[in-house]
Each structure stands twice: as structure tokens, then as C-alpha cells.
């Protein structure tokens, strides 16, 4: 059985048929899983999967199992799906869907008279990590709501359970804040967009933008919750904030630059226009986050904290006065002052702050969790200091990086990260393995930035099939990277490509990009050689 991610234990002997009389017996707590089976597997197979007992599918919570663990037993009489929680039952249902074959991933039956069978099998499984995530950058290029819902389904199909939504940046503000309407009236739209890397001479002269209303967010969060996925919002500060400053110029360093002349940024890179360290800015973002907390039940809230140039603060009398008033040593500690403020503010409301590994500079806030993106180093330091960590090193799991070094790769960015490279990704580096600090690695996340990934087709191409390999590295109990069964995974991917095709995913084929997936003449920024382990 070509299951992805690979289960802990599986055995199979023969097959059994499913028919119109196959019913779902949903025990308490599993009603949402039953509804999902009817709406997806039922739609694909044409089977009614009506409620009832006998000759059917049994869904039940078994407290003896770990919360996300499951046991799937298919015998001649029943399909028994037991999970340590409703999430575990849901992951069992995802495995059951794979056992039915790729046509179970379609939205309607291909042949109404088809006889559906499922292998007689026992599958016992549980995830390695609690945080199994994908970052989707909707700030650089906006993903409409339906596209986000689609990616939630794709995450669920791979047993991934965190969607990190990058909602704000210099190039756009993507969430309605009722108290500050100009954030979307002004900040959600840019006049044009750079085509390719920032050094490119090409421009897309069409205005670009969009945002999610409060109700859109409520729908996304509810849809995710039914699939046992947590949506983690990111509201960037104090850097990556030009879209907010363009909407409300008083947020910027008005004693250094003419912030009233700033517009939503139309190119890529690190932007010098950062938030001013004022009480006005703190109050503004507290009000923003108050609305964000009301929409997102996630215990984690990401506040960015990365790539914040200090030049404006060094030139700003107001910033220097804040440094002196707070007894800070320098501008690095001023950034830490920002982070600590919101760490305390979120903690007081029962939430946990997450930030990129730059938040280590100037001193790490007491309750902060670190997203280690510049390599493993920040995560190692944070875990050793007793802080929780999400490993997402750009050299290993940035899915906007190119997949091969051939000339056909569209807009080649960064290091070559092949499917095999991602399959050999290890979230726990050797420096932490076997130490108590390793317990602070909550899991890992693949990040998909969208500066040069402007359509759903392009996002699909960069994400798949590599996201399938990443899903296995964070779910399955794999051996050391060099000892992993790459040939076996490659064989299982043959079946998985058919599933992706049935789902309509415009993935990169093993032989290279299809003609329409190439982007000839659009400048990228490839980095040659193997990525460093830092």
C-alpha cells in the first residue's frame, strides 16, 4: 500500500467491497469526521454512506491512544477507525481515502456503476511532531479565500495540521481591521508588481491586491477546524510594515522620513521603512491584535520580528529618546523591547507569541516561541535556553526555492531543493538530538513565499510534490536522513502523483516542468552549490 506519509505499522491481506449499503456509525465526538467522509469520499464514490449500524464504517474515540494516533482495521465486516481524539479519527479517515485509490480524490464519480473495494488491512499510526505546518504568504501575492480553503484540504490530505497565514507585509495588508479601515482601503492594494527578482527590469503594471473580511476569516478558521488544522495568523512588526505605514503615516518614523509620501511597496526585498517605537504604535497594534484574537482561536500568534533594518531608528531622535527612557543598550534591544511588549500583552490574554529567529537579538522575550528560518542555529540557541522552536530553515524547506538547476525552472530562486533533498530533511539537528532541549522542538514548517509565485498554478508547482515529502518527515518515524528509503518513497510517489492529479494539483512532474510551468525571460536569483548547514 503506497501510503504517504508512511504509517508506523501496516499489514494487508486481500480486499473487501463497499456498496450502497455501507453505513457510517459515528460514535460521540466523531460527527464531523462522518460529515467529511460523506462530503468527500461519498461525493467521489457515489456511495451514500448513510448513518447507521452494520456492514459499515465505525468511527470512535479510543482514549487509550495518543491524541492524534489512530488505528484503522478493515476486515470482512467493518471498517473500524479509532483515534485517541477526533483528530486521530480524522487522520484515519485520510488513510482510508488513500486506500480507496486516486479516484477517491475526485469530486464526483467517474463511473456510476463502479465497484469500490478497500484492502483488508490494519494500520497503526501516530505523528512524530505536534506542529506540522505550511506557511502560505498571502501578503506578497494575494490568495483568494477559495484558494486558502483548497490548501486546507491539501494540508489535511497530507496529515499536516498548521496553516501559518502571512497576512501583512510591505506589499499588502490582507485582513480587515474594522477599527482601522484604511489598512484595507489603502494597504491592501499596490499599483504594480515587480516581475521576478527585484533586480529584474520587468513589471506587471496591473494593480494587485485583496483582503479577507472578518467573515472570510471566520469561514477559513471553521473550515480548518473541521479538518483539525490550526490557522496561525502573522501580523508583522516592527519591520515589513510599509503597507500599514502607507495607510496610517503616523506609524512610521516621521522625524526621519516623509511617511505621508509612502505607498504600498511594489517590489521585493528588505524595506527600510519600519514602525516607530512610540506609544501610538503600541496602542495601534494592540487594537489590531484585539480584532485578530477575536477571529483566530489559535494559541499561537506570529508577530514576525524579522528583517528590521535599524537605520531609521539610529537617525530618529524619538527612537533614541525611547532607548534612553527604557534603559536599553542599542537598537537591537529596542527591537527586543517591541517584542517583549507584545509577548506580555499576548500572554495576558492567554496566547503565545511566535517570531522569526531575529527576535533572539537583543534578548529573547520570556514566553516567545522561535521560528528558526535562517538555519538551525536560532532554533538550537532558543531550545537550549528553554524556549519552544519550530524548525523551518530556508536552506532546507523554503518551497519558493528552485527544484532543479536546469534552465526550464520557472524564476529560479535560492538553492536547489529537490524532492529527495526535502525527503531527507531532519527537524531535530544533531546538536539537540538526545538532549532534553530536543523536547522544545514542537515540529517543523515548510514556508512558501510568493514574491515570484503569483498564481495558484505557480504555488502548486513550488509546493508539490515536495510538500508530500515534507509531510512524511514531520509525521513518520524515519531513520537518519542518509538511511532513509528514498527508492521506496519514490515508488510510493508514483501512486501519489495520481492522487495529486485527481485533486487538480499542478505539481512539478519528476521529469521537469511542463511547457506552461516555465517562465522564460523572468529573472530569478539562483544560489549555486549545496546549502550550508547553519
Amino acid at each position: 500500500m503506497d501510503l504517504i506519509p508512511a504509517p508506523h505499522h501496516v499489514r494487508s491481506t486481500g480486499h473487501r467491497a463497499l456498496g450502497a449499503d455501507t453505513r457510517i456509525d459515528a460514535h460521540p465526538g466523531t460527527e464531523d469526521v462522518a460529515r467529511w467522509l460523506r462530503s468527500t469520499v461519498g461525493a467521489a464514490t457515489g456511495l451514500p454512506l448513510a448513518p447507521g449500524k452494520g456492514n459499515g464504517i465505525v468511527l470512535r474515540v479510543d482514549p487509550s491512544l495518543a491524541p492524534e494516533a489512530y488505528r484503522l482495521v478493515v476486515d470482512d465486516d467493518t471498517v473500524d477507525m479509532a483515534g485517541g481524539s477526533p483528530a486521530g479519527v480524522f487522520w484515519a479517515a485520510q488513510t482510508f481515502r488513500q486506500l480507496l485509490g486516486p479516484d477517491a480524490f475526485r469530486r464526483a464519480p467517474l463511473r456510476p456503476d463502479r465497484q469500490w473495494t478497500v484492502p483488508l488491512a490494519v494500520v497503526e499510526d501516530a505523528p512524530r511532531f505536534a506542529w506540522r505546518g505550511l506557511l502560505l504568504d498571502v501578503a506578497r501575492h494575494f490568495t483568494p479565500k477559495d484558494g486558502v480553503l483548497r490548501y486546507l484540504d491539501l494540508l489535511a490530505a497530507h496529515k499536516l495540521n498548521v496553516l501559518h497565514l502571512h497576512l501583512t507585509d510591505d506589499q499588502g495588508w490582507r485582513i480587515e481591521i474594522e477599527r482601522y479601515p484604511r489598512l484595507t482601503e489603502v494597504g491592501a492594494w499596490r499599483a504594480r508588481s515587480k516581475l521576478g527578482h527585484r533586480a529584474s527590469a520587468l513589471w506587471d503594471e496591473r494593480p494587485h491586491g485583496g483582503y479577507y473580511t472578518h467573515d472570510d476569516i471566520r469561514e477559513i478558521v471553521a473550515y480548518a477546524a473541521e479538518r483539525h488544522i490550526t490557522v496561525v495568523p502573522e501580523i508583522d512588526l516592527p519591520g515589513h510594515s510599509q503597507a500599514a505605514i502607507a495607510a496610517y503615516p503616523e506609524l512610521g518614523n516621521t522625524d526621519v522620513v516623509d511617511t505621508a509620501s509612502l505607498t504600498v511597496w511594489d517590489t521585493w526585498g528588505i524595506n527600510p521603512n519600519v514602525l516607530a517605537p512610540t506609544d501610538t504604535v503600541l496602542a495601534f497594534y494592540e487594537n489590531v491584535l484585539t480584532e485578530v484574537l477575536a477571529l483566530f482561536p489559535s494559541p499561537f500568534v506570529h508577530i514576525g520580528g524579522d528583517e528590521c533594518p535599524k537605520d531609521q531608528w539610529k537617525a530618529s531622535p524619538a527612537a533614541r529618546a525611547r532607548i534612553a527612557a527604557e534603559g536599553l543598550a542599542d537598537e537591537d534591544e529596542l527591537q527586543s523591547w517591541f517584542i517583549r511588549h507584545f509577548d506580555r500583552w499576548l500572554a495576558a490574554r492567554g496566547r503565545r507569541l511566535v517570531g522569526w529567529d531575529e527576535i533572539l537579538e537583543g534578548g529573547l522575550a520570556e514566553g516567545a516561541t522561535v521560528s528558526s528560518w535562517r538555519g538551525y542555529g536560532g532554533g538550537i540557541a532558543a531550545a537550549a535556553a528553554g524556549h519552544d522552536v519550530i524548525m523551518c530553515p530556508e536552506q532546507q524547506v523554503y518551497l519558493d526555492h528552485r527544484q532543479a538547476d536546469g534552465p526550464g525552472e520557472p524564476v529560479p530562486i535560492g538553492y536547489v531543493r529537490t524532492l529527495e533533498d526535502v525527503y531527507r530533511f531532519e527537524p531535530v539537528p544533531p546538536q539537540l538530538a538526545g538532549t532534553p532541549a530536543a523536547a522544545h522542538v514542537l515540529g517543523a514548517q515548510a514556508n512558501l513565499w510568493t514574491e515570484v509565485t503569483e498564481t495558484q498554478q505557480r504555488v502548486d508547482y513550488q509546493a508539490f510534490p515536495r510538500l508530500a515529502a515534507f509531510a512524511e518527515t514531520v509525521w513518520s518515524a524515519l531513520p537518519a536522513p542518509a538511511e532513509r528509503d528514498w527508492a521506496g518513497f519514490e515508488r510510493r510517489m508514483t501512486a501519489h502523483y495520481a492522487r495529486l492529479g485527481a485533486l487538480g494539483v499542478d505539481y512539478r512532474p519528476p521529469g521537469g516542468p511542463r511547457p506552461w510551468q516555465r517562465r522564460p525571460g523572468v529573472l530569478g536569483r539562483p544560489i549555486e552549490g549545496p546549502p550550508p548547514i547553519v
Side-chain angles (χ1 to χ4, degrees):
M1 292 186 291
D2 297 321
L3 299 174
I4 289 178
H8 177 70
H9 171 81
V10 59
R11 69 176 186 268
S12 176
T13 56
H15 289 75
R16 61 158 290 186
L18 301 176
D21 61 342
T22 300
R23 299 179 179 276
I24 296 179
D25 180 9
H27 291 208
T30 68
E31 295 84 358
D32 286 351
V33 182
R35 182 165 56 250
W36 179 86
L37 280 166
R38 291 189 189 97
S39 64
T40 54
V41 174
T45 61
L47 301 176
L49 301 179
K53 299 180 184 294
N55 188 37
I57 297 167
V58 177
L59 308 177
R60 59 192 179 88
V61 173
D62 181 349
S64 71
L65 297 172
E68 286 192 278
Y70 69 87
R71 183 174 56 251
L72 169 62
V73 179
V74 183
D75 60 26
D76 290 325
D77 298 317
T78 60
V79 178
D80 185 80
M81 303 185 204
S85 69
V89 181
F90 183 70
W91 303 134
Q94 292 291 348
T95 297
F96 173 69
R97 188 188 192 189
Q98 288 196 21
L99 293 177
L100 289 171
D103 287 348
F105 288 77
R106 297 187 179 274
R107 296 191 180 186
L110 301 185
R111 297 181 300 279
D113 58 346
R114 172 171 175 169
Q115 176 64 59
W116 286 90
T117 63
V118 62
L120 298 172
V122 176
V123 184
E124 295 174 306
D125 206 5
R128 180 184 177 194
F129 292 105
W131 187 298
R132 308 181 302 278
L134 172 72
L135 176 143
L136 186 59
D137 173 18
V138 298
R140 272 53 175 272
H141 278 100
F142 180 61
T143 299
K145 179 196 68 178
D146 285 354
V148 176
L149 300 179
R150 174 176 178 267
Y151 257 79
L152 287 167
D153 281 330
L154 291 173
L155 265 60
H158 292 83
K159 300 185 174 74
L160 297 170
N161 67 346
V162 175
L163 177 64
H164 175 167
L165 269 188
H166 181 69
L167 290 165
T168 73
D169 214 295
D170 301 301
Q171 296 86 3
W173 186 283
R174 306 295 178 215
I175 179 171
E176 176 187 35
I177 302 297
E178 292 176 348
R179 182 162 182 159
Y180 301 117
R182 286 178 59 83
L183 285 172
T184 46
E185 291 171 358
V186 174
W189 312 94
R190 61 177 182 263
R192 62 177 186 170
S193 304
K194 175 64 70 174
L195 269 180
H197 184 253
R198 60 180 174 273
S200 166
L202 301 176
W203 293 89
D204 181 345
E205 297 291 349
R206 296 173 297 176
H208 178 84
Y211 65 92
Y212 310 111
T213 66
H214 278 201
D215 282 347
D216 291 337
I217 294 294
R218 292 185 183 102
E219 181 181 358
I220 288 167
V221 168
Y223 195 84
E226 288 184 344
R227 286 146 184 81
H228 300 277
I229 295 170
T230 299
V231 184
V232 176
E234 180 176 348
I235 305 295
D236 264 309
L237 61 92
H240 288 292
S241 298
Q242 183 161 318
I245 297 169
Y248 292 93
E250 64 271 21
L251 300 176
N253 294 282
T254 57
D255 55 349
V256 177
V257 295
D258 177 14
T259 57
S261 67
L262 295 178
T263 58
V264 178
W265 213 26
D266 56 13
T267 189
W268 322 120
I270 300 175
N271 189 301
N273 294 298
V274 302
L275 298 174
T278 65
D279 292 340
T280 296
V281 168
L282 296 181
F284 184 96
Y285 276 85
E286 287 174 2
N287 292 332
V288 166
L289 289 170
T290 295
E291 293 193 27
V292 169
L293 297 190
L295 295 169
F296 293 90
S298 164
F300 294 93
V301 176
H302 209 295
I303 51 74
D306 63 314
E307 296 181 331
C308 178
K310 311 298 192 297
D311 296 340
Q312 290 185 0
W313 289 349
K314 290 177 180 177
S316 164
R320 292 199 301 273
R322 175 66 76 177
I323 289 172
E326 300 293 337
L328 307 175
D330 53 21
E331 287 76 20
D332 282 344
E333 287 197 6
L334 183 58
Q335 176 165 330
S336 180
W337 170 83
F338 256 110
I339 305 303
R340 288 176 187 275
H341 175 87
F342 287 102
D343 179 60
R344 292 190 298 268
W345 189 90
L346 287 167
R349 288 153 183 81
R351 308 297 181 98
R352 297 181 62 185
L353 179 145
V354 191
W356 302 109
D357 56 54
E358 285 95 331
I359 67 173
L360 288 159
E361 299 165 3
L364 187 56
E366 182 178 349
T369 296
V370 172
S371 298
S372 190
W373 77 273
R374 290 180 294 181
Y376 289 106
I380 292 169
H387 288 264
D388 287 340
V389 173
I390 300 133
M391 288 294 188
C392 46
E394 64 168 331
Q395 302 88 348
Q396 313 301 322
V397 289
Y398 266 35
L399 299 185
D400 51 316
H401 283 204
R402 58 197 174 125
Q403 304 188 59
D405 60 3
E409 290 301 315
V411 200
I413 297 294
Y415 296 102
V416 172
R417 291 287 85 192
T418 66
L419 180 64
E420 181 176 358
D421 291 331
V422 175
Y423 181 65
R424 297 191 190 277
F425 166 64
E426 172 51 50
V428 179
Q431 297 93 323
L432 294 179
T435 72
H440 285 292
V441 179
L442 301 180
Q445 183 171 283
N447 293 345
L448 211 170
W449 304 100
T450 61
E451 290 94 334
V452 302
T453 309
E454 72 281 10
T455 65
Q456 178 173 289
Q457 281 187 315
R458 285 283 294 117
V459 171
D460 280 2
Y461 180 89
Q462 294 301 130
F464 289 100
R466 293 183 296 179
L467 192 64
F470 172 81
E472 187 151 314
T473 70
V474 291
W475 177 280
S476 304
L478 298 176
E483 300 168 7
R484 292 178 186 174
D485 182 7
W486 163 245
F489 178 78
E490 201 172 25
R491 175 187 55 77
R492 285 184 286 122
M493 277 303 301
T494 301
H496 202 64
Y497 286 122
R499 297 176 193 129
L500 294 176
L503 286 166
V505 176
D506 200 28
Y507 62 87
R508 182 190 189 275
R514 300 177 177 95
W516 65 86
Q517 293 172 325
R518 300 184 175 104
R519 295 292 304 278
V522 181
L523 183 70
R525 186 181 66 89
I527 305 174
E528 302 303 332
I533 305 300
V534 294

Coordinates of all heavy atoms in Angstrom, one line a residue, residues 183-241:
L183 N -6.4 50.3 6.5 CA -5.5 49.2 6.3 C -5.8 48.4 5.1 O -4.9 47.9 4.4 CB -5.4 48.3 7.6 CG -4.7 48.9 8.8 CD1 -4.9 48.0 10.0 CD2 -3.2 49.1 8.5
T184 N -7.1 48.3 4.8 CA -7.5 47.6 3.6 C -7.9 48.5 2.5 O -7.7 48.2 1.3 CB -8.7 46.6 3.9 OG1 -9.7 47.2 4.7 CG2 -8.1 45.4 4.7
E185 N -8.5 49.7 2.8 CA -8.8 50.6 1.8 C -7.6 51.1 1.0 O -7.6 51.2 -0.2 CB -9.5 51.8 2.3 CG -10.9 51.6 2.9 CD -11.5 52.7 3.6 OE1 -10.8 53.8 3.8 OE2 -12.6 52.6 4.1
V186 N -6.5 51.3 1.7 CA -5.2 51.7 1.1 C -4.2 50.6 1.1 O -3.5 50.3 0.1 CB -4.6 52.9 1.9 CG1 -3.2 53.3 1.4 CG2 -5.6 54.1 1.8
G187 N -4.0 49.9 2.3 CA -2.9 49.0 2.5 C -3.0 47.7 1.7 O -2.0 47.0 1.6
A188 N -4.2 47.3 1.3 CA -4.4 46.1 0.6 C -4.2 46.1 -0.9 O -4.3 45.1 -1.6 CB -5.9 45.6 0.8
W189 N -3.7 47.3 -1.4 CA -3.6 47.4 -2.9 C -2.3 48.1 -3.2 O -1.9 49.1 -2.6 CB -4.8 48.3 -3.4 CG -6.1 47.8 -2.9 CD1 -6.8 48.2 -1.8 CD2 -6.8 46.7 -3.4 NE1 -7.9 47.5 -1.5 CE2 -8.0 46.5 -2.5 CE3 -6.7 45.8 -4.4 CZ2 -8.9 45.5 -2.7 CZ3 -7.6 44.8 -4.7 CH2 -8.8 44.7 -3.8
R190 N -1.7 47.6 -4.2 CA -0.5 48.2 -4.8 C -0.7 48.5 -6.3 O -1.4 47.7 -7.0 CB 0.8 47.4 -4.6 CG 0.9 46.0 -5.2 CD 2.2 45.4 -4.9 NE 2.3 44.0 -5.5 CZ 2.1 42.9 -4.9 NH1 1.8 42.9 -3.6 NH2 2.2 41.7 -5.5
A191 N 0.0 49.5 -6.8 CA -0.2 50.0 -8.1 C 0.3 49.0 -9.2 O -0.2 48.9 -10.3 CB 0.4 51.4 -8.3
R192 N 1.4 48.3 -8.9 CA 2.0 47.4 -9.8 C 2.9 46.4 -9.0 O 3.0 46.6 -7.8 CB 2.8 48.1 -10.9 CG 4.0 48.9 -10.3 CD 4.8 49.6 -11.3 NE 6.0 50.2 -10.8 CZ 7.1 50.7 -11.5 NH1 7.0 50.6 -12.8 NH2 8.1 51.2 -10.9
S193 N 3.5 45.4 -9.7 CA 4.3 44.5 -9.0 C 5.5 44.2 -9.9 O 5.5 44.1 -11.1 CB 3.5 43.1 -8.8 OG 2.3 43.3 -8.1
K194 N 6.7 44.0 -9.2 CA 7.9 43.6 -9.9 C 7.7 42.1 -10.4 O 7.2 41.3 -9.7 CB 9.0 43.6 -8.9 CG 10.3 43.1 -9.4 CD 10.9 43.9 -10.5 CE 11.4 45.3 -10.1 NZ 12.1 46.0 -11.2
L195 N 8.1 41.9 -11.6 CA 8.1 40.6 -12.2 C 9.4 39.9 -12.0 O 10.4 40.3 -12.5 CB 7.7 40.6 -13.7 CG 6.3 40.5 -14.1 CD1 6.1 40.6 -15.6 CD2 5.6 39.2 -13.6
G196 N 9.4 38.9 -11.2 CA 10.7 38.2 -10.9 C 11.4 38.8 -9.8 O 10.9 39.5 -8.9
H197 N 12.7 38.5 -9.7 CA 13.6 39.0 -8.6 C 13.6 40.6 -8.7 O 13.4 41.2 -9.8 CB 15.0 38.5 -8.8 CG 15.9 38.9 -7.7 ND1 16.9 39.8 -7.9 CD2 16.0 38.5 -6.4 CE1 17.6 39.9 -6.7 NE2 17.0 39.2 -5.8
R198 N 13.9 41.2 -7.6 CA 13.9 42.7 -7.5 C 14.9 43.3 -8.5 O 14.7 44.5 -8.8 CB 14.2 43.2 -6.1 CG 15.5 42.8 -5.5 CD 15.7 43.3 -4.1 NE 16.9 42.8 -3.4 CZ 17.0 41.7 -2.7 NH1 15.9 40.9 -2.6 NH2 18.1 41.3 -2.2
A199 N 15.9 42.6 -9.0 CA 16.8 43.1 -9.9 C 16.3 43.1 -11.4 O 16.9 43.6 -12.3 CB 18.2 42.4 -9.9
S200 N 15.1 42.4 -11.5 CA 14.5 42.3 -12.9 C 14.1 43.7 -13.4 O 13.7 44.6 -12.6 CB 13.3 41.4 -12.8 OG 12.5 41.5 -13.9
A201 N 14.2 43.9 -14.7 CA 13.7 45.1 -15.3 C 12.2 45.1 -15.7 O 11.6 46.0 -16.2 CB 14.5 45.4 -16.6
L202 N 11.6 43.9 -15.4 CA 10.2 43.7 -15.8 C 9.2 44.1 -14.7 O 9.5 43.9 -13.5 CB 10.0 42.3 -16.2 CG 10.9 41.7 -17.3 CD1 10.6 40.2 -17.6 CD2 10.7 42.5 -18.6
W203 N 8.0 44.6 -15.1 CA 7.0 44.9 -14.2 C 5.6 44.4 -14.7 O 5.4 44.3 -15.9 CB 6.8 46.5 -14.1 CG 8.0 47.1 -13.4 CD1 9.1 47.6 -14.0 CD2 8.2 47.3 -12.0 NE1 10.0 48.1 -13.1 CE2 9.4 48.0 -11.8 CE3 7.4 47.1 -10.9 CZ2 9.9 48.3 -10.6 CZ3 7.9 47.4 -9.6 CH2 9.1 48.1 -9.5
D204 N 4.8 44.0 -13.8 CA 3.4 43.7 -14.1 C 2.7 45.0 -13.7 O 2.6 45.3 -12.5 CB 2.9 42.5 -13.3 CG 1.5 42.2 -13.5 OD1 0.7 43.0 -14.1 OD2 1.0 41.1 -13.1
E205 N 2.2 45.7 -14.7 CA 1.6 47.0 -14.5 C 0.2 47.0 -14.0 O -0.5 48.0 -13.8 CB 1.7 47.8 -15.8 CG 3.1 48.1 -16.2 CD 3.8 49.1 -15.3 OE1 3.2 49.7 -14.4 OE2 5.1 49.2 -15.5
R206 N -0.4 45.8 -13.8 CA -1.7 45.7 -13.2 C -1.7 46.0 -11.7 O -0.9 45.4 -11.0 CB -2.3 44.3 -13.5 CG -2.5 44.0 -15.0 CD -2.9 42.5 -15.1 NE -1.9 41.6 -14.6 CZ -2.0 40.3 -14.6 NH1 -3.1 39.7 -15.0 NH2 -1.0 39.5 -14.1
P207 N -2.7 46.7 -11.2 CA -2.8 46.8 -9.8 C -3.1 45.4 -9.2 O -3.7 44.6 -9.8 CB -4.1 47.7 -9.6 CG -4.1 48.5 -10.9 CD -3.7 47.6 -11.9
H208 N -2.6 45.2 -8.0 CA -2.8 43.9 -7.3 C -3.2 44.1 -5.9 O -2.8 45.0 -5.2 CB -1.4 43.2 -7.3 CG -1.6 41.8 -6.6 ND1 -2.0 40.7 -7.3 CD2 -1.3 41.4 -5.4 CE1 -2.0 39.7 -6.4 NE2 -1.6 40.1 -5.3
G209 N -4.1 43.2 -5.4 CA -4.5 43.3 -4.0 C -5.6 42.4 -3.7 O -6.0 41.5 -4.4
G210 N -6.2 42.6 -2.5 CA -7.3 41.8 -2.0 C -7.1 41.7 -0.5 O -6.0 41.9 0.1
Y211 N -8.1 41.3 0.2 CA -8.1 41.0 1.6 C -9.2 40.1 2.0 O -10.2 39.9 1.3 CB -8.1 42.3 2.4 CG -9.4 43.2 2.3 CD1 -10.4 43.0 3.2 CD2 -9.6 44.1 1.3 CE1 -11.6 43.7 3.1 CE2 -10.7 44.8 1.2 CZ -11.7 44.6 2.1 OH -12.9 45.4 2.0
Y212 N -9.1 39.6 3.3 CA -10.1 38.8 3.8 C -11.0 39.6 4.8 O -10.4 40.3 5.7 CB -9.5 37.6 4.6 CG -8.5 36.8 3.8 CD1 -7.2 36.9 4.1 CD2 -8.9 36.1 2.7 CE1 -6.2 36.2 3.4 CE2 -8.0 35.4 1.9 CZ -6.6 35.5 2.3 OH -5.7 34.8 1.5
T213 N -12.3 39.5 4.7 CA -13.2 40.2 5.6 C -13.2 39.3 6.9 O -12.7 38.2 7.0 CB -14.6 40.3 5.1 OG1 -15.1 38.9 5.0 CG2 -14.6 41.0 3.7
H214 N -13.8 39.9 8.0 CA -13.9 39.1 9.2 C -14.6 37.8 8.9 O -14.3 36.8 9.4 CB -14.7 39.9 10.2 CG -13.8 40.9 11.0 ND1 -14.1 41.4 12.2 CD2 -12.6 41.5 10.7 CE1 -13.2 42.2 12.6 NE2 -12.2 42.3 11.7
D215 N -15.7 37.9 8.1 CA -16.4 36.6 7.9 C -15.6 35.7 7.0 O -15.8 34.4 7.2 CB -17.8 37.0 7.2 CG -18.8 37.5 8.1 OD1 -18.6 37.4 9.4 OD2 -19.8 38.0 7.7
D216 N -14.8 36.2 6.1 CA -13.9 35.3 5.4 C -13.0 34.5 6.3 O -12.8 33.3 6.2 CB -13.0 36.0 4.4 CG -13.8 36.6 3.2 OD1 -14.9 36.1 2.9 OD2 -13.3 37.6 2.6
I217 N -12.4 35.2 7.3 CA -11.5 34.6 8.3 C -12.3 33.6 9.1 O -11.8 32.5 9.4 CB -10.8 35.7 9.1 CG1 -9.9 36.6 8.3 CG2 -10.1 35.0 10.3 CD1 -8.7 35.8 7.7
R218 N -13.5 34.0 9.5 CA -14.3 33.0 10.3 C -14.5 31.7 9.6 O -14.5 30.6 10.1 CB -15.6 33.7 10.8 CG -15.5 34.8 11.8 CD -16.8 35.3 12.2 NE -16.7 36.4 13.1 CZ -16.9 37.7 12.8 NH1 -17.2 38.0 11.5 NH2 -16.7 38.7 13.6
E219 N -14.8 31.9 8.3 CA -15.1 30.7 7.4 C -13.8 29.9 7.3 O -13.8 28.6 7.4 CB -15.6 31.2 6.0 CG -15.9 30.0 5.1 CD -16.3 30.5 3.7 OE1 -16.5 31.7 3.5 OE2 -16.5 29.6 2.9
I220 N -12.7 30.5 7.0 CA -11.4 29.8 6.9 C -11.1 29.1 8.2 O -10.7 27.9 8.2 CB -10.3 30.8 6.5 CG1 -10.4 31.3 5.1 CG2 -8.9 30.2 6.7 CD1 -9.6 32.5 4.7
V221 N -11.2 29.7 9.3 CA -10.9 29.1 10.6 C -11.8 27.9 10.9 O -11.4 26.9 11.4 CB -10.9 30.2 11.7 CG1 -10.9 29.5 13.1 CG2 -9.8 31.1 11.6
A222 N -13.1 28.1 10.6 CA -14.0 27.0 10.8 C -13.8 25.8 9.9 O -13.8 24.6 10.3 CB -15.5 27.5 10.7
Y223 N -13.5 26.1 8.7 CA -13.2 25.0 7.7 C -11.9 24.3 8.1 O -11.9 23.1 8.1 CB -12.9 25.7 6.3 CG -13.0 24.8 5.1 CD1 -14.2 24.4 4.6 CD2 -11.8 24.3 4.6 CE1 -14.2 23.5 3.4 CE2 -11.8 23.4 3.5 CZ -13.0 23.1 2.9 OH -13.0 22.2 1.8
A224 N -10.9 25.0 8.6 CA -9.7 24.4 9.1 C -10.0 23.5 10.3 O -9.5 22.4 10.4 CB -8.7 25.5 9.4
A225 N -10.8 24.1 11.2 CA -11.1 23.3 12.5 C -11.7 22.0 12.2 O -11.5 21.0 12.8 CB -11.9 24.2 13.4
E226 N -12.6 22.0 11.2 CA -13.3 20.7 10.8 C -12.2 19.7 10.3 O -12.5 18.5 10.3 CB -14.3 20.9 9.8 CG -15.6 21.6 10.3 CD -16.7 21.8 9.3 OE1 -16.4 21.6 8.0 OE2 -17.8 22.1 9.6
R227 N -11.1 20.2 9.9 CA -10.0 19.3 9.3 C -8.9 19.2 10.4 O -7.8 18.8 10.0 CB -9.5 19.9 8.0 CG -10.5 19.6 6.9 CD -10.6 20.6 5.8 NE -11.7 20.3 4.9 CZ -13.0 20.6 5.1 NH1 -13.4 21.1 6.2 NH2 -13.9 20.2 4.2
H228 N -9.1 19.7 11.6 CA -8.2 19.6 12.7 C -6.8 20.3 12.3 O -5.7 19.8 12.6 CB -8.0 18.1 13.1 CG -9.2 17.5 13.5 ND1 -9.7 17.6 14.8 CD2 -10.2 16.8 12.8 CE1 -10.9 17.0 14.9 NE2 -11.2 16.5 13.7
I229 N -7.0 21.4 11.7 CA -5.9 22.3 11.3 C -6.0 23.6 12.1 O -7.1 24.2 12.2 CB -5.9 22.6 9.8 CG1 -5.6 21.2 9.1 CG2 -4.8 23.6 9.5 CD1 -5.8 21.4 7.6
T230 N -4.9 24.0 12.7 CA -4.9 25.3 13.4 C -4.4 26.4 12.4 O -3.4 26.2 11.7 CB -3.9 25.3 14.6 OG1 -4.4 24.3 15.5 CG2 -3.8 26.6 15.3
V231 N -5.1 27.5 12.3 CA -4.6 28.6 11.5 C -3.9 29.6 12.4 O -4.6 30.2 13.3 CB -5.8 29.3 10.7 CG1 -5.3 30.4 9.8 CG2 -6.6 28.2 9.9
V232 N -2.7 29.8 12.1 CA -1.8 30.8 12.9 C -1.7 32.0 12.1 O -1.1 32.0 11.0 CB -0.5 30.2 13.2 CG1 0.4 31.2 14.0 CG2 -0.6 28.9 14.1
P233 N -2.2 33.2 12.6 CA -2.0 34.4 11.9 C -0.7 35.1 12.1 O -0.1 35.0 13.2 CB -3.2 35.3 12.5 CG -3.2 34.8 13.9 CD -2.9 33.4 13.9
E234 N -0.2 35.7 11.1 CA 1.0 36.6 11.3 C 0.7 38.0 10.9 O 0.3 38.3 9.8 CB 2.2 36.1 10.4 CG 3.5 36.9 10.6 CD 4.7 36.4 9.9 OE1 4.7 35.3 9.4 OE2 5.7 37.2 9.8
I235 N 1.0 38.9 11.9 CA 0.9 40.3 11.8 C 2.3 40.9 12.0 O 2.8 40.9 13.1 CB -0.1 41.0 12.8 CG1 -1.5 40.3 12.7 CG2 -0.2 42.5 12.6 CD1 -2.2 40.5 11.3
D236 N 2.9 41.3 10.9 CA 4.4 41.7 11.0 C 4.6 43.0 11.8 O 3.9 44.0 11.5 CB 5.0 41.8 9.6 CG 5.7 40.5 9.2 OD1 6.5 40.0 10.0 OD2 5.4 40.0 8.1
L237 N 5.6 43.0 12.6 CA 6.1 44.2 13.3 C 7.5 43.9 13.9 O 7.7 42.7 14.1 CB 5.1 44.7 14.4 CG 4.8 43.8 15.6 CD1 5.8 44.0 16.7 CD2 3.4 44.0 16.0
P238 N 8.4 44.8 14.1 CA 8.2 46.2 13.6 C 8.7 46.5 12.2 O 8.5 47.6 11.7 CB 9.2 46.9 14.6 CG 10.2 45.9 14.9 CD 9.5 44.6 14.9
G239 N 9.3 45.5 11.5 CA 9.7 45.6 10.1 C 8.5 45.1 9.2 O 7.5 44.7 9.7
H240 N 8.8 45.1 7.9 CA 7.9 44.6 6.9 C 6.5 45.3 7.1 O 5.5 44.6 7.1 CB 7.7 43.1 7.0 CG 8.9 42.3 6.5 ND1 9.2 42.3 5.2 CD2 9.8 41.6 7.1 CE1 10.3 41.5 5.0 NE2 10.7 41.1 6.2
S241 N 6.5 46.6 7.3 CA 5.3 47.3 7.7 C 4.9 48.5 6.8 O 4.1 49.3 7.2 CB 5.5 47.8 9.1 OG 5.7 46.8 10.0

